[in-house]
Amino acid sequence: MDTSFTEKEILRDGLETAKHSTEHYNTFSNECTHENVRNAMLHILAEEHDIQDDIFHMTSAKGYYPTPAAEEKKVMETRQKFQSSFQ
């Protein structure tokens, strides 16, 4: 039984793990009652976002996570939709 993983599987797993980590650290920081602990959680959260961004760019650069460019028309429609909800 071969238990080795492909580079694509490793990167996708790393990306999913990083996404879940940021969710948890965000929750932890929101629920802290001690300012120093909250600041530590926010610092770790920022680092986790950086890690997630690095993994995303590696995965995307290798073609494992294709992200097509948004159509300008859809960008404008979305912008208008959300701008009107803030006014």
Side-chain angles (χ1 to χ4, degrees):
M1 180 165 137
D2 184 16
T3 58
S4 60
F5 296 96
T6 65
E7 180 181 56
K8 180 179 181 178
E9 291 170 324
I10 293 167
L11 287 172
R12 292 202 98 169
D13 183 62
L15 187 57
E16 285 300 313
T17 300
K19 287 178 181 181
H20 290 294
S21 293
T22 58
E23 289 174 15
H24 293 298
Y25 280 112
N26 188 55
T27 299
F28 299 155
S29 65
N30 286 335
E31 295 179 357
C32 286
T33 57
H34 192 278
E35 187 175 348
N36 289 341
V37 175
R38 183 175 186 277
N39 289 338
M41 289 296 118
L42 290 172
H43 178 74
I44 295 169
L45 176 61
E47 290 178 336
E48 288 295 325
H49 275 290
D50 290 342
I51 292 168
Q52 184 273 332
D53 189 54
D54 290 343
I55 297 170
F56 169 77
H57 286 293
M58 282 191 295
T59 305
S60 182
K62 292 180 177 283
Y64 300 150
Y65 198 113
T67 51
E71 298 173 22
E72 187 62 31
K73 179 183 176 194
K74 292 199 182 253
V75 171
M76 294 304 293
E77 288 171 357
T78 303
R79 180 178 291 150
Q80 288 173 351
K81 175 182 172 182
F82 287 104
Q83 280 179 342
S84 65
S85 65
F86 288 111
Q87 297 175 356

